[in-house]
């Protein structure tokens, strides 16, 4: 039975493969005369006919399914590939001067060279596939095919999909570059680290580029190819015809696959990872919530949050000192504003993240990046027992999920107690609670909310970031001017309204063009359920025919990044930012219908572009919040662009904007932007700033405005509040930029710091061994600086130290902090280099270092302290500052510091620990200090217990005096109990530190606190006997610290479950 007539199909270039055909067709080599024909030619002709006959017989014997008429010919791929017999029949009946004839001739020649292997294997694979499905071994078959293709066998014989098997050469290239210096990331990691990155899914470190760009380069911009590595494979698609089939025409046959697997621990059965049955039910429940009236009411909420962002930017400009410009990271600002919008619109909850750093933002980004890494990992190592203990990233992931789940629990509790807004606007959470059916569990509702929280916040923030990035470019000045003109004409100086969306068409085109260049997400993941046969489109140049086969269980990556940037679809300027392109239709190509602007609905989407553009996905499972996302983006941009002028910061000029991915596309180093007020209607920007209320400036300024000597004046003798320090930490974390680093020189500098620490402070060095590598090195650098500072007034040359020397030392500190924002090179002094790297790595604040120098000034001129208030300032400056310095290194636990009040409690604990350490030193060294003419214990306390300074000085020089008297014992016991109170305060705040660093701090607290017990053991003789903790006691205390940290872990978990982490009362934790 002959196949149907062959449909005309565009022919590939066949010049390099002339057909071998016995009948002398046109285009073939000149036919030989009978005299020229030899026995070899005759044998070749006989072979062709013989194998054609056998394959025709095999085709009839092994054919599966009904012999229905096919549309076109599907030889060379799939399980219904055409064998040589039907090919020969087609050749006889096809005009010789056609492109179709040329393609048939080429395939016939290929079939002769590899009879059966090229064609009939697909008949065999059809039977194998049917058998494996019947035996439920289709997964095993896929693994077998993947393994064969990994070693270069099979090619596209089974499914017709080109295999890009270049991973071995890429891996060898990565191995060859091991140890080489990378200006941006330091020395390349070793083989062990390379394998660890592959196992943990950090493919961006292996490939050196984000996954969407890597796949585009790896596949050589092919419309479809298969990426195979070992037992795993993925079919990467960027052809609109294939994409349309997967997302719409046959979407029931495609699950979310690996996406569901990696998102299930995060979103459960929320809309994105849910199975088809759950998805249908939840979509019907959620979509009505995004109705037009809700969007109209929500526009007011979005404007409120946008105004809050604008006010924050104006305050930043006012506080900059020049009253004209502030440098900010707009990517962080957009993330904060988007989180606030989601909080108020969806949950009726104010996160307030614009005005303060929110741990929610980091948690959302982190869990999405972990999901991406799991999707790329070659081994699911996170299922290993105890993975969270073995891998720090898994522990952090657990903590981030704990935070997000705790937030959702709090939001649900709040929604059950808080009625809708007085204006009648109902948050989406209130709507879902009110319309929840009895069969909908609380867990399902939480899964829905988790999906809305993560997806709704992250994608809009990325859209705003990349839109502003493009509008700021000088070459897009005309685009920005048209946007501004449209905003001024439509909105003017009134508030943005929902109806304005349709009146701002060009702004919408700008947003859509951003989504084309930076799709969110850049990859859509699917998995074929029952196998599929898909017709190919115009981008599938490497496919030898009209369709490809997808095996059951095959993972599919829809690369929206490559699809949106295809030069064949969008033109040579496909990678350029051009919103005007949406005003021009695109012609059809093959099975792709092209782009027709007339088919666009509220916005240009996959329907108008026939799935060449997927701004919010495509098909039934596209994003349900597309209208809300565009509303939010337009409202925020309108408010920002009409009030401010944005330019790329000077330090970013001429530098390429790096990219990284974590489900969505982020900048590598932030969108560092210079923000200025826009001149509106002739109103001077300075006048607007004058009218703008500025947040109260903290009493403790970021930098000391006085010289060192002036810090000894009574008005300067104060201890900063935790609130002031919290504001400084937030500001510093946003101010430092990444610059090149000489990592070899940095490593050498840290090694010298390690040697100094181990030699001069055994206890401190022992405690540092319990920290992670980066944290351990930073505390060594801080200790080394503190020791050098202390040597100025307590070292061998202390007698010659003057106030001018301290001034010079502070000037050196200033240069080190300035160097932290510049390239770190080997020509820096090793002390400065180590500290500058720590400043950049952990955002250390300068003021703490300056205050320590102020403490040295007190040592330079003061030998007596009248009151404990004076001593407290001294203790803060010389020791409490160490707690403030190291607090960013130890790290805040995001869950336990969710509110500003709880974060301030952690800061207070750090300061208390520093004070306790210094008071312990003072009580231990009373005799030693007295022999140097110094008495640190407060004069008022001595007088309270009837002790004179003369008695203390005499006891220090004559053994056996004073310490055995009751008044001294009572005095010392009073001092010890006060000091232990600081230890207690410090211990209660350790739960606010990152869990991985709690043990090191707890151990130092116990060991240093034990010195007070040693003073008691010495019967309060701190004149002639040295109180110390033995090595055996330190070992016991380390075990005690470990057990206490286990208790803190339980307390931390209970804080989450009880909702105490949301308390504004610091005593609640």
């Amino acid at each position: 039975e002959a196949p149907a007539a062959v449909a005309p199909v565009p022919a590939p270039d066949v010049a390099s493969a002339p057909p071998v055909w016995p009948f002398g067709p046109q285009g073939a080599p000149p036919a030989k005369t009978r005299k020229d024909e030899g026995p070899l030619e005759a044998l070749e002709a006989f072979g062709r006919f013989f194998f054609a006959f056998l394959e025709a017989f095999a085709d009839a014997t092994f054919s599966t399914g009904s012999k229905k008429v096919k549309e076109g010919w599907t030889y060379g791929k799939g399980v219904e590939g055409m064998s040589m017999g039907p090919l020969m029949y087609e050749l006889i009946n096809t005009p010789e001067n056609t492109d179709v004839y040329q393609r048939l001739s080429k395939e016939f020649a290929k079939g002769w060279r590899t009879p059966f292997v090229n064609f009939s294997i697909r008949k065999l694979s059809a039977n194998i596939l049917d058998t494996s499905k019947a035996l439920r071994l289709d997964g095993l078959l896929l693994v077998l095919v993947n393994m064969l293709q990994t070693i270069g066998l099979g090619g596209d014989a089974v499914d017709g999909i080109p295999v890009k098997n270049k991973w071995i050469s890429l891996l060898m290239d990565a191995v060859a570059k091991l140890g080489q210096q990378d200006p941006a990331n330091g020395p390349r990691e070793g083989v062990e680290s390379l394998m660890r990155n592959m196992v943990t899914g950090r493919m961006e470190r292996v490939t050196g580029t984000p996954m969407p760009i890597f796949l585009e380069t790896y596949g050589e911009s092919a419309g479809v190819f298969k990426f195979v590595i070992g037992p795993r494979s993925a079919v990467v698609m960027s052809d609109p015809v294939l994409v349309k089939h997967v997302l719409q025409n046959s979407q029931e046959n495609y699950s979310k696959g690996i996406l569901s697997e990696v998102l299930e621990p995060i979103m459960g059965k929320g809309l994105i990872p849910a199975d088809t049955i759950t998805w249908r039910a939840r979509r019907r429940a959620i979509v009505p919530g995004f109705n037009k009236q809700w969007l109209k009411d929500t526009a007011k909420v979005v404007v409120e949050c946008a105004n809050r962002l604008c006010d924050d930017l104006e305050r930043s400009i006012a506080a900059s000192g020049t009253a004209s410009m502030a440098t900010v990271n707009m990517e962080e600002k957009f993330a904060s504003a988007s989180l606030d919008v989601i909080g108020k619109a969806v949950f009726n909850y104010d996160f307030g993240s614009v005005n303060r750093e929110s741990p929610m933002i980091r948690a959302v980004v982190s869990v999405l990046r972990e999901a991406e890494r799991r999707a790329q990992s070659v081994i699911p190592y996170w299922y290993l027992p105890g993975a969270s203990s073995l891998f720090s990233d898994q522990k952090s992931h657990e903590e981030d999920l704990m935070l997000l789940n705790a937030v959702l629990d709090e939001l649900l509790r709040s929604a059950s107690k808080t009625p809708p807004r007085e204006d009648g606007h109902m948050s989406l959470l209130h709507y879902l609670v009110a319309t929840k059916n009895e069969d909908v569990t609380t867990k399902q509702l939480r899964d829905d909310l988790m999906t809305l929280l993560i997806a709704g916040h992250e994608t809009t923030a990325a859209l705003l970031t990349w839109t502003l990035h493009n509008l700021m470019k000088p070459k897009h000045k005309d685009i920005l001017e048209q946007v501004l003109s449209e905003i001024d004409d439509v909105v003017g100086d009134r508030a943005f309204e929902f109806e304005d969306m349709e009146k701002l068409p060009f702004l919408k085109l700008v947003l859509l063009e951003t989504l084309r260049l930076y799709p969110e997400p850049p990859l859509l993941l699917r998995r074929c359920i029952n196998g599929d046969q898909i017709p190919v489109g115009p981008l599938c140049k490497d496919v030898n025919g009209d369709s490809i086969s997808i095996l059951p269980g095959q993972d599919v990556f829809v690369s929206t990044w490559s699809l949106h940037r295809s030069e064949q679809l969008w033109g040579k300027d496909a990678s350029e930012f051009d919103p005007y392109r949406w005003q021009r239709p695109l012609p059809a190509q093959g099975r792709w219908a092209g782009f027709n602007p007339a088919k666009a609905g509220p916005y240009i989407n996959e329907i108008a572009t026939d799935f060449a553009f997927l701004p919010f996905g495509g098909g039934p499972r596209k994003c349900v919040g597309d209208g809300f996302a565009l509303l939010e983006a337009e409202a925020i941009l309108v408010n920002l662009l009409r009030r401010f002028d944005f330019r790329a910061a000077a330090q970013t000029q001429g530098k390429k904007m790096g990219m990284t991915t974590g489900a969505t596309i982020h900048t590598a180093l932030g969108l560092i932007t210079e923000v200025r007020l826009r001149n509106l209607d002739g109103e001077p920007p300075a006048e607007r700033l004058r009218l703008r209320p500025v947040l109260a400036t903290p009493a403790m300024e970021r930098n000391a405005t006085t010289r060192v000597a002036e810090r000894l004046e009574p008005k300067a003798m104060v201890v900063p509040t935790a609130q002031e320090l919290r504001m400084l930490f937030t500001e510093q974390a946003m101010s430092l930029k990444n610059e090149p680093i000489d990592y070899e020189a940095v490593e050498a500098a840290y090694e010298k710091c390690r040697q100094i620490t181990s030699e001069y402070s055994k206890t401190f060095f022992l405690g540092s061994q319990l920290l992670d590598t980066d944290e351990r090195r930073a505390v060594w650098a801080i200790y080394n600086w503190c020791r050098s500072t202390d040597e100025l007034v307590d070292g061998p040359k202390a007698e010659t130290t003057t106030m001018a020397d301290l001034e010079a030392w502070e000037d050196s500190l200033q240069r080190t902090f300035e160097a932290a924002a510049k390239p770190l090179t080997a020509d820096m002094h090793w002390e400065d280099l180590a500290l500058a790297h720590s400043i950049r790595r952990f955002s250390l604040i300068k003021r703490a270092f300056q205050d320590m120098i102020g403490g040295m000034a007190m040592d330079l001129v003061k030998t007596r302290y009248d009151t404990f208030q004076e001593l407290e300032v001294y203790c803060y400056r010389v020791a409490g500052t160490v707690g403030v310095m190291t607090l960013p290194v130890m790290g805040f636990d995001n869950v336990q510091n969710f509110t500003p009040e709880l974060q301030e409690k952690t800061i207070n604990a750090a300061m208390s620990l520093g004070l306790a350490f210094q008071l312990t030193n003072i009580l231990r060294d009373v005799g030693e200090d007295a022999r140097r003419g110094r008495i640190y214990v407060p004069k008022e306390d001595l007088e309270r217990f009837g002790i004179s300074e003369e008695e203390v000085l005499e006891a220090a020089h004559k053994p056996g005096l004073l310490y055995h008297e009751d008044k001294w014992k009572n005095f010392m016991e009073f001092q010890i109990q006060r000091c232990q109170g600081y230890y207690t305060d410090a211990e209660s705040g350790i739960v606010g530190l990152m869990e991985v660093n709690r043990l090191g701090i707890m151990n130092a607290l116990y060991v240093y606190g034990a010195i007070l017990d040693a003073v008691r053991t010495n019967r309060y003789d701190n004149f002639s006997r040295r109180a110390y903790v033995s090595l055996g006691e330190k070992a016991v205390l380390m075990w005690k610290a470990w057990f206490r940290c286990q208790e803190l872990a339980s307390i931390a978990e209970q804080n989450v479950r009880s909702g105490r982490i949301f308390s504004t009362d610091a005593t609640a934790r």
Side-chain angles (χ1 to χ4, degrees), residues 729 882-892 903 906-908 910 993:
F729 285 132
V882 178
V884 178
M885 293 173 189
T886 57
L887 187 54
V889 180
M890 299 300 105
F892 290 102
Q903 188 176 9
T906 303
I907 295 172
N908 269 325
L993 299 178

Side-chain angles (χ1 to χ4, degrees), residues 68-271:
K68 59 184 179 181
V69 177
K70 305 184 184 70
E71 295 182 0
W73 38 296
T74 58
Y75 69 92
K77 63 196 72 63
V79 296
E80 296 181 352
M82 185 178 291
S83 63
M84 292 180 67
L87 267 178
M88 183 169 61
Y89 181 90
E90 289 292 340
L91 280 168
I92 295 173
N93 292 278
T94 301
E96 298 177 357
N97 293 325
T98 63
D99 291 338
V100 174
Y101 183 87
Q102 294 291 337
R103 296 190 72 180
L104 290 167
S105 300
K106 178 183 178 182
E107 289 302 319
F108 188 88
K110 187 193 302 183
W112 154 245
R113 297 188 187 100
T114 55
F116 292 99
V117 174
N118 190 49
F119 299 105
S120 297
I121 192 172
R122 297 196 175 83
K123 302 302 176 184
L124 181 62
S125 65
N127 287 274
I128 294 176
L129 182 59
D130 290 344
T131 303
S132 65
K133 289 181 66 176
L135 298 176
R136 298 184 178 181
L137 298 176
D138 44 353
L140 182 61
L141 174 63
L142 179 61
V143 171
L144 177 62
V145 171
N146 290 341
M147 296 299 293
L148 291 174
Q149 291 177 335
T150 297
I151 60 176
L153 299 179
D156 62 352
V158 175
D159 49 25
I161 303 173
V163 178
K164 302 293 184 180
N165 204 358
K166 300 185 294 185
W167 69 271
I168 296 180
S169 61
L170 290 174
L171 184 60
M172 294 302 295
D173 180 64
V175 172
K177 294 180 180 178
L178 293 175
Q180 294 182 8
Q181 190 77 4
D182 187 331
N185 302 310
R188 293 179 179 266
E189 298 173 312
V191 175
E192 180 183 350
S193 297
L194 179 65
M195 299 307 298
R196 183 173 65 248
N197 289 334
M198 295 182 66
V199 170
T200 57
R202 288 175 168 82
M203 290 302 178
E204 191 168 321
R205 296 184 181 178
V206 178
T207 63
T209 186
M211 184 55 64
I213 300 177
F214 167 72
L215 290 177
E216 183 179 38
T217 305
Y218 189 91
E220 300 171 350
S221 300
V224 63
F225 69 93
K226 181 183 282 189
F227 177 84
V228 187
I229 178 169
R232 297 192 59 178
S233 68
V235 174
V236 183
M237 297 180 177
S238 58
D239 179 275
V241 176
L242 299 179
V243 172
K244 182 178 181 179
H245 181 91
V246 170
L247 298 183
Q248 178 168 288
N249 298 346
S250 187
Q251 64 91 17
E252 294 282 349
N253 191 29
Y254 290 86
S255 69
K256 291 298 185 76
I258 193 172
L259 185 67
S260 296
E261 295 171 2
V262 300
L263 287 183
E264 192 276 335
I266 302 171
M267 300 179 182
K269 290 194 174 183
L271 279 180

Side-chain angles (χ1 to χ4, degrees), residues 524-639:
L524 302 175
L525 308 186
R526 295 292 188 271
R527 178 174 292 162
C528 186
I529 300 174
N530 297 312
D532 202 358
Q533 192 83 10
I534 311 178
V536 297
L539 302 187
C540 301
K541 298 297 186 182
D542 296 338
V543 176
N544 295 317
D546 280 0
S547 66
I548 59 173
S549 297
I550 304 294
L551 297 178
Q554 177 68 66
D555 286 317
V556 175
F557 291 0
V558 175
S559 178
T560 53
W561 173 273
S562 300
L563 174 66
H564 290 182
R565 291 172 176 253
S566 169
E567 292 188 359
Q568 182 173 339
L569 298 179
W570 301 101
K572 294 296 184 181
D573 65 343
S575 296
E576 296 296 323
F577 182 75
D578 179 18
Y580 301 104
R581 75 172 69 250
W582 299 110
Q583 300 170 353
R584 305 185 296 266
L586 295 174
Q589 299 182 39
R591 293 186 176 94
W592 180 57
F595 164 48
N596 185 356
K599 292 184 178 180
Y603 64 90
I604 297 171
N605 57 15
E606 73 280 5
I607 303 301
T609 61
D610 197 25
F611 281 76
F613 176 52
L614 309 172
F616 296 97
R621 298 198 69 161
K622 69 179 293 185
C623 176
V624 299
D626 51 353
F628 172 62
L630 287 175
L631 167 66
E632 179 183 352
E634 287 195 29
I636 291 177
L637 281 178
V638 165
N639 278 268

